[in-house]
Amino acid sequence: MSTFDLSGYLSRNRNLVDAALLNVFHELDQHRELVRAMTHSLMAGGKRVRPALALATAGALGADPRIALPASCAIEMIHTYSLIHDDLPAMDDDDLRRGMPTCHKQFSEATAILAGDGLLTHAFHILAAPGSCFDIYPDTDTRLILVEKISAAAGINGMVEGQMLDMQAENNPEDLPLDRPGALAHLKKIHRHKTGAMIEVSVASGAISAGADKDALNALGTYAENIGLAFQVMDDILNVEGDPKVMGKAAGSDALRDKLTFPAILGLEESKVFSKQLVADALTALDSYSEKEFKKNSEPLRAIAGYIINRNR
Amino acid sequence: MSTFDLSGYLSRNRNLVDAALLNVFHELDQHRELVRAMTHSLMAGGKRVRPALALATAGALGADPRIALPASCAIEMIHTYSLIHDDLPAMDDDDLRRGMPTCHKQFSEATAILAGDGLLTHAFHILAAPGSCFDIYPDTDTRLILVEKISAAAGINGMVEGQMLDMQAENNPEDLPLDRPGALAHLKKIHRHKTGAMIEVSVASGAISAGADKDALNALGTYAENIGLAFQVMDDILNVEGDPKVMGKAAGSDALRDKLTFPAILGLEESKVFSKQLVADALTALDSYSEKEFKKNSEPLRAIAGYIINRNR
C-alpha cells in the first residue's frame, strides 16, 4: 500500500499550473472582453488532470517538472477551448459547467466562439515563444516536436474528429454497429480520439520536454493509452452509480439518452473489471521501463492511475 | 508602365497553392464528414491573396518561392477557418460565400465549428511537420519562428481580437469615438487587427522562409502594413461605388448598416487619395531595400500593390 500523498501532490501541481497560466495572461489588458471570456473558462477551477500527467511524467524521468509547464499550459488551454466550443448551443448546449455559467451564457455565443479560437491559437504561441512567461523551457527543436504532437492530438485526427464521431453517434444511432464487438470497437474509437489523444499527448509532452529516450516514450505511451481509456470507462460507470451530490450532476443521464457507453455494452460489473484491467496494464507498462531511478520517481504516475478507478466524481 | 503579367502570375501561384493544399488533405479519408466540410470551404475558389504575397516575397528575396508554401498553406487554412466561424449564425449569419452555401448551411452549425477548429489546428501541424506534404520547407528553427509569428497574427492580439473589436463596434456604436481623428484611429485599429495582421504575416512568412535579413524584414514590413490598410480602404470604397454584378454583392450595404468605414469618416474622394498614398508608401518602402537583385525580383510585389487600388471587386 502506497503512502504517497496524491491529493497534496495534485494540489501543489495545480497551484504551479494555475500560476503559470495567470502569468501567460498577465501581460494582457484584463478589461478586454475577449481576455475576460478566456480567463472566465480557463480559471474556472478545472482539476488540471492533463498538466498533472505532464508534470508527473517529467518528474518521473528525473527532470525538473517545470520543464513541462509550457506544454502543460498549452494543453490546458486547448482542453478549455474544447469545453467552450462543446458547450455552445449548436453542440451540447450546456448552461453550466462546474456550477458556473458557461462562456456563451456569461458573455455571448460570438464571444465564446472567439474565446475558444483565441485559446487554441495562443496555446501554440506559448509553445513557440515561451520566453516571456516561463523561467525554463525546452529547446527549439523540442518545442517544434511539441507543436507537432499537440496539434496532432488536438486536431482532425485526434480530439476534433472525436467530437465529430461522438456527435454523429448521438445524432445517427441507427448507423452504429449492433453487435457487441463492433459497438465496443466503435466506442473505443470515439474515446481514443475525443479524450484519449489529449491524455496521451499530456504524458508524451512531459516525456518529450524531459528529453525521454525511445524506451521511456514507449512505456509511457502504453501507460497513457490505458489510463486514458480507464478514465472514460470510469466516467461511464460513475454516470450509472455515482452520487449526484458528489458528482454535481444527476446520475443515469447517459442511460436516459440511450447513449453508447461501456456499461450499456458490457454491463456494469464487466465495465468495472475492464477498468481495473486497464489500470493494471498501465502499471505493468511503467514496470517495463527499467531505468534505475524511474521506479521511485514514477510514484505519482502510479498513484494517478490508481486514483482514476477509485475516485467518486 | 510595367508590362508584368500579374493575372498570369497570380493564376500560376494559385495553382501552386491549390495543389499544395490538396496534397495536405490527400492522405485523409475523403468520406469523413469533417474532411468534406473543411475542403468545402478551403477549395471554394478563394483568390489566395495571402499565399500570393508570401510566395512573391520569397521570390523577391531570390529564394525558390516554394520554400514559402508550408506557411502559405497554413495561412490560407487559418484565413478559411476565420471565414467559416465568421459566417456562423452567432456571428455574421451568412448563408452564401462566393456563391456557394457557407459551411454551416451545407453541413451543420456544429460541423462548421469543428471544421474551423480543425483547419486552425492543422495549420500549425503542417508548419511543425511539413515533411509528408511538401518537397522543400524551412529548417526547424525557422519553422518555430513561423509558428510564433503566425499564431501571434491570428490570435488574441491579432485577428481574433480584430473580430471582437469589429463586433463590438457593430453592437455598441454608441461607444465609438465621435470626433474624426478618434473614429479614424479606431477604424484603423480594427483593421490592423482584423485583416492587417494576417496580410503582414503573409509577407513576413515569405521573408522568414527565405531567410531574410533585418533590412529586408523592415522594408517588407512597411510595405505589408501599407498594402494591408490600402486593401481595406479600397474594400470600403468598392462597397460604396462598386458594380454589384462584378462584386457579386449589393453596393451600399455598409452605409445602410451605418457601418464605421473610411468613406463614412473621410468621404469618398479623400478615401481614394488615402488609398493611393498608402500604395505609394508601400512602393517607397520596397525602394528602401537596396539589395542588387531585389528591384527586379520584387516586380510581382509592386504589381500586387498596384492591383489593390485598381481592382473592381
Side-chain angles (χ1 to χ4, degrees):
Chain A
M1 200 57 188
S2 167
T3 55
F4 180 73
D5 173 19
L6 180 65
S7 135
Y9 176 81
L10 290 177
S11 156
R12 283 193 305 280
N13 271 354
R14 198 167 49 236
N15 291 342
L16 207 57
V17 172
D18 284 2
L21 285 170
L22 285 176
N23 213 25
V24 166
F25 283 86
H26 123 272
E27 279 172 18
L28 301 169
D29 175 0
Q30 304 300 316
H31 292 97
R32 282 168 57 189
E33 185 89 343
L34 182 65
V35 175
R36 288 173 51 225
M38 291 192 300
T39 39
H40 169 81
S41 296
L42 193 60
M43 307 314 282
K47 293 193 292 284
R48 313 295 191 208
V49 171
R50 291 156 193 77
L53 284 167
L55 296 172
T57 301
L61 295 168
D64 180 338
R66 293 179 305 148
I67 195 76
L69 272 178
S72 296
C73 289
I75 288 168
E76 193 67 10
M77 287 160 70
I78 290 172
H79 174 60
T80 303
Y81 116 75
S82 77
L83 300 181
I84 294 175
H85 281 191
D86 287 3
D87 287 338
L88 286 168
M91 309 270 283
D92 289 350
D93 196 13
D94 279 318
D95 293 353
L96 290 173
R97 181 171 287 277
R98 301 189 190 108
M100 305 251 292
T102 46
C103 193
H104 67 275
K105 276 287 162 188
Q106 182 74 28
F107 298 89
S108 72
E109 234 183 289
T111 303
I113 294 168
L114 292 172
D117 294 344
L119 282 167
L120 173 56
T121 312
H122 207 58
F124 294 110
H125 190 69
I126 61 166
L127 286 174
S132 63
C133 307
F134 301 93
D135 294 330
I136 60 169
Y137 42 84
D139 61 27
T140 53
D141 282 6
T142 305
R143 271 147 50 211
L144 197 67
I145 295 171
L146 290 172
V147 173
E148 176 186 345
K149 301 294 182 194
I150 293 172
S151 62
I156 56 179
N157 293 319
M159 185 179 68
V160 171
E161 173 68 2
Q163 280 299 115
M164 195 73 199
L165 292 171
D166 195 35
M167 200 168 73
Q168 289 171 326
E170 290 222 8
N171 295 345
N172 307 95
E174 69 280 8
D175 292 346
L176 294 173
L178 285 171
D179 59 307
R180 191 178 128 127
L184 190 62
H186 193 74
L187 183 58
K188 283 185 186 173
K189 180 182 173 182
I190 294 175
H191 289 314
R192 198 171 59 233
H193 286 83
K194 190 179 171 182
T195 53
M198 288 298 287
I199 298 269
E200 286 173 45
V201 88
S202 300
V203 172
S205 293
I208 293 164
S209 296
D213 63 26
K214 209 173 161 183
D215 287 346
L217 283 173
N218 280 338
L220 288 160
T222 307
Y223 163 86
E225 205 180 308
N226 282 288
I227 64 159
L229 190 52
F231 195 88
Q232 197 55 54
V233 176
M234 197 61 202
D235 256 7
D236 286 357
I237 293 170
L238 285 170
N239 192 285
V240 177
E241 58 170 24
D243 182 341
K245 272 176 282 183
V246 179
M247 307 248 301
K249 60 181 173 187
S253 60
D254 287 347
L256 282 175
R257 290 187 299 153
D258 242 344
K259 216 185 150 190
L260 189 66
T261 66
F262 290 101
I265 299 173
L266 299 176
L268 197 54
E269 286 317 308
E270 199 174 324
S271 296
K272 288 181 188 173
V273 172
F274 183 41
S275 71
K276 286 190 182 114
Q277 184 57 51
L278 289 166
V279 169
D281 291 348
L283 297 178
T284 305
L286 293 185
D287 291 336
S288 76
Y289 185 59
S290 54
E291 199 272 334
K292 220 179 82 201
E293 299 292 313
F294 185 73
K295 193 170 180 67
K296 177 168 68 69
N297 290 339
S298 63
E299 200 167 17
L301 286 178
R302 292 169 195 277
I304 292 171
Y307 156 79
I308 285 171
I309 46 170
N310 293 315
R311 68 201 165 104
N312 56 5
R313 66 181 181 125
Chain B
M1 199 59 189
S2 167
T3 55
F4 180 73
D5 174 17
L6 180 64
S7 137
Y9 175 83
L10 290 178
S11 155
R12 282 193 306 279
N13 271 355
R14 198 166 49 234
N15 291 341
L16 207 59
V17 173
D18 284 2
L21 285 170
L22 285 176
N23 214 24
V24 166
F25 283 86
H26 122 272
E27 280 171 17
L28 301 170
D29 175 358
Q30 303 300 317
H31 292 98
R32 282 168 56 189
E33 185 89 343
L34 182 65
V35 175
R36 287 173 52 224
M38 291 192 300
T39 41
H40 169 83
S41 295
L42 192 60
M43 307 313 281
K47 292 193 291 284
R48 315 295 191 207
V49 172
R50 290 157 193 78
L53 284 167
L55 296 171
T57 301
L61 295 168
D64 181 338
R66 293 179 305 148
I67 195 77
L69 272 178
S72 295
C73 289
I75 288 168
E76 193 67 11
M77 287 160 70
I78 290 171
H79 174 59
T80 303
Y81 116 75
S82 78
L83 299 181
I84 294 175
H85 281 191
D86 286 4
D87 286 339
L88 286 168
M91 310 269 285
D92 288 350
D93 195 14
D94 279 318
D95 293 352
L96 291 173
R97 181 171 286 277
R98 299 189 192 109
M100 305 251 292
T102 46
C103 193
H104 66 274
K105 277 286 163 185
Q106 182 73 28
F107 297 90
S108 72
E109 236 183 286
T111 303
I113 295 168
L114 292 172
D117 294 344
L119 281 167
L120 173 57
T121 311
H122 208 58
F124 294 111
H125 189 69
I126 62 167
L127 286 174
S132 63
C133 307
F134 301 92
D135 294 330
I136 61 170
Y137 41 84
D139 62 28
T140 54
D141 281 6
T142 305
R143 272 148 49 213
L144 196 68
I145 294 171
L146 290 172
V147 172
E148 176 186 345
K149 300 295 180 192
I150 293 173
S151 63
I156 57 179
N157 293 320
M159 186 179 68
V160 171
E161 173 68 1
Q163 280 299 117
M164 196 75 197
L165 291 170
D166 194 36
M167 201 169 74
Q168 289 171 327
E170 290 223 10
N171 295 346
N172 308 94
E174 69 279 8
D175 292 345
L176 295 172
L178 286 171
D179 59 307
R180 191 178 129 125
L184 191 61
H186 193 75
L187 183 59
K188 283 185 186 173
K189 179 181 173 182
I190 293 176
H191 289 313
R192 199 171 58 233
H193 285 84
K194 190 179 172 183
T195 53
M198 287 298 287
I199 298 268
E200 286 172 45
V201 87
S202 300
V203 172
S205 293
I208 293 164
S209 297
D213 64 27
K214 208 172 161 185
D215 286 347
L217 284 174
N218 281 338
L220 288 160
T222 307
Y223 163 85
E225 206 180 308
N226 281 289
I227 63 159
L229 190 53
F231 195 88
Q232 197 55 52
V233 176
M234 197 61 203
D235 256 7
D236 286 356
I237 292 170
L238 285 170
N239 192 284
V240 177
E241 59 170 26
D243 182 341
K245 273 176 282 183
V246 179
M247 306 248 303
K249 60 182 174 187
S253 60
D254 287 348
L256 282 175
R257 291 188 297 154
D258 242 342
K259 217 185 149 187
L260 189 67
T261 66
F262 289 100
I265 299 172
L266 298 177
L268 197 54
E269 288 316 307
E270 199 174 326
S271 296
K272 289 181 188 175
V273 172
F274 184 40
S275 70
K276 287 192 180 113
Q277 185 56 53
L278 289 166
V279 169
D281 291 348
L283 298 178
T284 305
L286 293 185
D287 291 337
S288 76
Y289 184 58
S290 54
E291 198 273 335
K292 219 178 81 201
E293 300 291 313
F294 185 74
K295 193 168 179 67
K296 178 168 67 71
N297 291 338
S298 62
E299 199 168 15
L301 286 178
R302 292 169 196 277
I304 291 171
Y307 156 78
I308 285 171
I309 46 169
N310 292 316
R311 68 201 164 105
N312 56 6
R313 65 184 182 124

